[in-house]
Amino acid sequence: MTTETTETGTTEIRPAAVQVHDVHKWYGAHQVLDGVELTVWPGEVTVILGPSGSGKSTLLRVINHLEKPEVGYVSVNGEPIGVRRHGERLKELSERVILGQRSRIGFVFQNFNLFPHLTALDNVAAAPVATGKLAKPKAQELARELLGRVGLADKVGAYPRQLSGGQQQRVAIARALALRPGVILFDEPTSALDPELVGDVLAVIKDLATSGTTLIIVTHEIGFAREVADRIVFIDGGRIVEQGPPTELLDHPKHERTRDFLSKVL
Amino acid sequence: MSEPPGAAVPLASAPPAEEPPGPSSPPRTARPAEAERPGDGTAPRPPAAQRVLPLHRPGRWIATAIVLVLVAQIAHGLVTNPFYQWDRFRYWFLRPAILDGLLITLKVTAYSAVLGLFGGILVALGRLSRSPVLRAVAWTYTWLFRSVPLIVVLLFLYNFSALYKTLSLGVPFGPAFLTFDESRLATDIVVAVVGLTLNEAAYASEVVRSGILAVDHGQHEAALALGLPKSYQFTKIVFPQALRSITPNYVNLLINLIKSTSLVFYVSLLDLFGSAQSMGSTYPGDIVPLLLVATVWYLILTSAVSVVQFYVERYFARGATRTLPPTPLQKVRAGLRDLRARARREAAI
Ligand SMILES: Nc1ncnc2c1ncn2[C@@H]1O[C@H](COP(=O)(O)OP(=O)(O)OP(=O)(O)O)[C@@H](O)[C@H]1O
Ligand SMILES: [Mg+2]
């Protein structure tokens, strides 16, 4: 539960879709995340901007616990990920439980990471079957439907290497959707693509955004960010520098560093 | 013109190899500007003027002739030299004694290959595990059995019953859960299979480990991010992809294993080589044909393995390449199609 909602005493207490609680992350002596606090509400589309090496990927990977933060934790729909409260302290959960939690958080990689030995259909159907959520025929039915939704109904039987980059990324999005996650994280989903393939993938993400799925997107496509984001978060040196609606942050940035960054990428 | 003379000409007129024009469709005519190129206009018909004459390679013909002569000589020698005694070869080739030995070779190889692969997978998983104890044990195992010659392992096991009267499984110095009498268990074939398996598993573990390491790290991450259960990650995602690079290396081991089975002769098991050897001491005049019999059988076995390897690799190549490599039959068909196409092209020009 978020303190905000309980304090204001609203009648409907709904947990944040994602809440990052004071996360610190080190790689050796190098601090990559430095006290990140972030709340994302259900149905909200959040775009994370920031210079290279600022910790954007690390933050996404902490959210689905591919990386363990040394301090702090993340909760998704009110449930702490990878840890449980033990009195005053946090205790690590077992790997099996963490895997179960991850299946409720979608992740789309920059390099797609499709399973090359499985067809598009099996890539999408694998996770619901493996996690015991659906029987195989049901999962394949769902996979067909999702592949149709990302515009790949005719590529059901194709292997990933037989698909273009843009098509592969759309299969990867369908694969993430197959687990019906509460939130989907995108780490630069279009930066490995040729410019003419970017549009198809962005169109699919935009479709998700308008359909009310909670999305957190790391991207360098500022125009796209302006179009889909409810909120833009600017991060630098492992800290959130400022955040706000796109018009505010992109057109009237408050901080020097944000202005600096935007002047370089715009 | 800036381009080197001749470079543009073949590009403009050489018919593409995959799509030969049929008799009804003559090759593309050259653009007029190129047909007027000086030095090219001597041939009677414009299409032929642009035709690319293949380079003559006399050296290749000479080398081919020499190799063919040598091969013929060797074949002739093999057939006619009385040293090989082909009639005795024919006599021995399908003798029950030899076939019994062949059966032993096949049995020992099959058991050791399967058990060795499973053992190898376990040891590889130990090497890759997060537990330092498992890693150390697996490493030591591999180190030990790769260091000790197979024949030493076999002789050790053969004399095992003298070293330990009974073999027991349980807590060290504590109660034993399972005890069996060594001398009853240790029939020769078990000794052979255990020895070969121990050896095979040590090598197979390295093959399996390198195969697993060769799988892209992104695959592990994608499996983790989807929350796939651990056993599923290994059996359905990582291992099938690892098998692609494991297969050729493991087949190498397998072929080596087939030949290594000839060592079981020293633990008094009559395999293919053992049978040939023992028949040879009974019929000293037939030693050469008997060795030939063993050789031909080993050739047949490794050839069979290679054929299986081709299809197994083809199976695991699904998704890894855009098109599967052709089977030999498909290659022959494609070759014939090429020949026909070439003939038609020649006729058309
Ligand atoms: N496994 C790792 N070990 C050590 N340092 C790492 C590791 N992963 C990331 N880093 C460091 O952490 C910092 C943040 O990396 P991160 O990948 O989160 O950046 P990013 O904001 O996603 O950058 P980009 O836009 O280039 O993808 C970088 O300085 C990087 O060098
Ligand atoms: Mg990144």
Side-chain angles (χ1 to χ4, degrees):
Chain A
M1 299 306 120
T2 66
T3 43
E4 234 173 285
T5 37
T6 43
E7 268 167 20
T8 52
T10 42
T11 42
E12 182 202 7
I13 302 177
R14 56 176 197 163
V18 175
Q19 187 151 30
V20 180
H21 301 270
D22 188 30
V23 161
H24 297 251
K25 170 78 194 164
W26 282 266
Y27 284 120
H30 176 43
Q31 184 161 14
V32 183
L33 292 179
D34 184 6
V36 174
E37 292 271 1
L38 179 66
T39 307
V40 175
W41 299 105
E44 201 180 12
V45 177
T46 305
V47 166
I48 300 179
L49 292 182
S52 182
S54 55
K56 305 180 298 291
S57 299
T58 310
L59 177 58
L60 282 196
R61 293 163 61 85
V62 163
I63 290 175
N64 81 341
H65 215 72
L66 279 175
E67 304 284 352
K68 296 183 186 68
E70 276 78 26
V71 177
Y73 69 99
V74 174
S75 48
V76 171
N77 294 324
E79 182 187 354
I81 299 298
V83 292
R84 67 189 160 84
R85 282 198 205 84
H86 188 75
E88 286 289 280
R89 303 167 143 253
L90 295 172
K91 270 199 153 178
E92 214 176 320
L93 288 172
S94 77
E95 199 165 330
R96 209 172 49 81
V97 179
I98 297 177
L99 285 171
Q101 292 182 328
R102 277 208 201 101
S103 69
R104 296 194 282 280
I105 307 170
F107 200 104
V108 176
F109 295 88
Q110 185 175 353
N111 319 310
F112 335 130
N113 289 341
L114 290 179
F115 304 130
H117 60 302
L118 302 180
T119 59
L121 186 79
D122 288 337
N123 262 283
V124 179
V129 175
T131 53
K133 289 203 168 102
L134 291 177
K136 198 164 180 185
K138 282 269 175 231
Q140 294 197 333
E141 199 179 303
L142 172 69
R144 262 175 229 285
E145 183 198 314
L146 289 172
L147 285 171
R149 192 167 154 196
V150 298
L152 292 173
D154 56 332
K155 296 291 184 189
V156 166
Y159 286 98
R161 296 244 163 82
Q162 297 164 339
L163 298 173
S164 77
Q167 292 169 335
Q168 288 189 49
Q169 190 60 297
R170 283 183 280 156
V171 174
I173 293 173
R175 179 173 73 171
L177 287 171
L179 287 165
R180 304 210 176 288
V183 52
I184 307 180
L185 315 174
F186 292 85
D187 191 1
E188 303 195 26
T190 57
S191 59
L193 299 178
D194 288 338
E196 76 266 30
L197 300 176
V198 168
D200 293 337
V201 173
L202 291 185
V204 168
I205 300 177
K206 211 167 112 187
D207 181 50
L208 288 176
T210 49
S211 73
T213 318
T214 313
L215 306 178
I216 303 181
I217 308 166
V218 172
T219 183
H220 292 297
E221 306 272 343
I222 306 280
F224 175 69
R226 186 190 291 277
E227 214 178 323
V228 299
D230 295 311
R231 176 162 38 148
I232 298 186
V233 175
F234 177 69
I235 176 170
D236 188 23
R239 290 163 172 273
I240 293 181
V241 175
E242 67 174 297
Q243 48 179 306
T247 45
E248 198 176 295
L249 191 129
L250 293 176
D251 301 332
H252 310 288
K254 290 191 193 71
H255 283 260
E256 186 57 39
R257 266 188 293 176
T258 319
R259 273 198 289 274
D260 219 44
F261 173 76
L262 289 174
S263 70
K264 280 182 197 132
V265 295
L266 279 177
Chain B
M1 230 167 266
S2 61
E3 54 204 333
V9 180
L11 283 178
S13 73
E18 313 81 51
E19 288 180 350
S24 53
S25 62
R28 274 179 287 160
T29 46
R31 277 174 284 136
E34 282 174 349
E36 282 164 25
R37 192 186 284 267
D40 276 342
T42 46
R45 283 184 297 162
Q50 298 289 305
R51 191 176 166 209
V52 182
L53 295 175
L55 178 66
H56 286 291
R57 296 184 174 84
R60 195 188 278 180
W61 286 106
I62 294 170
T64 310
I66 292 175
V67 170
L68 281 179
V69 167
L70 284 177
V71 168
Q73 230 165 20
I74 292 171
H76 180 257
L78 265 176
V79 174
T80 56
N81 192 330
F83 174 77
Y84 298 113
Q85 305 175 53
W86 288 106
D87 54 324
R88 299 306 291 161
F89 173 90
R90 267 196 302 282
Y91 172 81
W92 283 114
F93 191 66
L94 292 172
R95 272 301 105 169
I98 296 291
L99 292 185
D100 286 349
L102 179 67
L103 196 65
I104 299 265
T105 293
L106 284 175
K107 256 194 206 160
V108 171
T109 306
Y111 283 128
S112 322
V114 173
L115 293 174
L117 181 59
F118 279 107
I121 293 172
L122 288 182
V123 176
L125 285 178
R127 286 285 310 265
L128 295 170
S129 111
R130 261 182 272 171
S131 146
V133 176
L134 279 184
R135 276 205 306 268
V137 169
W139 182 88
T140 311
Y141 174 86
T142 313
W143 167 77
L144 184 67
F145 282 96
R146 288 204 303 182
S147 309
V148 181
L150 176 57
I151 183 73
V152 176
V153 174
L154 284 171
L155 288 175
F156 240 112
L157 288 169
Y158 192 57
N159 294 296
F160 214 54
S161 51
L163 296 175
Y164 297 91
K165 277 279 170 281
T166 57
L167 200 62
S168 70
L169 205 65
V171 187
F173 313 112
F177 304 128
L178 194 63
T179 310
F180 32 86
D181 188 6
E182 173 70 5
S183 56
R184 185 161 48 80
L185 178 76
T187 59
D188 297 339
I189 201 156
V190 171
V191 166
V193 168
V194 170
L196 285 165
T197 299
L198 288 173
N199 187 68
E200 182 81 350
Y203 286 95
S205 76
E206 286 297 279
V207 165
V208 171
R209 190 171 70 97
S210 70
I212 291 174
L213 290 180
V215 175
D216 179 24
H217 185 66
Q219 295 291 309
H220 295 269
E221 289 216 316
L224 281 179
L226 286 168
L228 303 180
K230 258 195 127 171
S231 59
Y232 189 95
Q233 285 181 29
F234 181 73
T235 57
K236 295 288 170 63
I237 305 296
V238 176
F239 196 61
Q241 295 184 55
L243 274 175
R244 195 169 136 67
S245 58
I246 289 175
T247 309
N249 291 324
Y250 191 69
V251 168
N252 246 351
L253 283 188
L254 190 60
I255 287 174
N256 215 1
L257 177 68
I258 293 175
K259 294 185 290 181
S260 303
T261 52
S262 57
L263 289 176
V264 303
F265 175 62
Y266 294 101
V267 293
S268 69
L269 200 59
L270 285 182
D271 70 316
L272 177 57
F273 169 73
S275 317
Q277 179 86 336
S278 75
M279 287 295 126
S281 50
T282 321
Y283 304 89
D286 285 356
I287 285 183
V288 171
L290 278 164
L291 286 178
L292 273 176
V293 165
T295 306
V296 170
W297 275 118
Y298 283 122
L299 282 175
I300 291 172
L301 293 185
T302 45
S303 311
V305 169
S306 305
V307 171
V308 173
Q309 172 184 14
F310 176 83
Y311 285 97
V312 171
E313 279 182 15
R314 199 164 177 274
Y315 176 78
F316 287 122
R318 275 168 323 154
T321 48
R322 285 200 164 204
T323 50
L324 285 178
T327 63
L329 197 65
Q330 288 169 340
K331 266 192 213 157
V332 169
R333 285 217 198 98
L336 286 178
R337 222 180 308 128
D338 273 359
L339 273 182
R340 236 178 316 160
R342 204 150 104 193
R344 234 183 295 153
R345 196 160 59 217
E346 296 289 319
I349 294 178

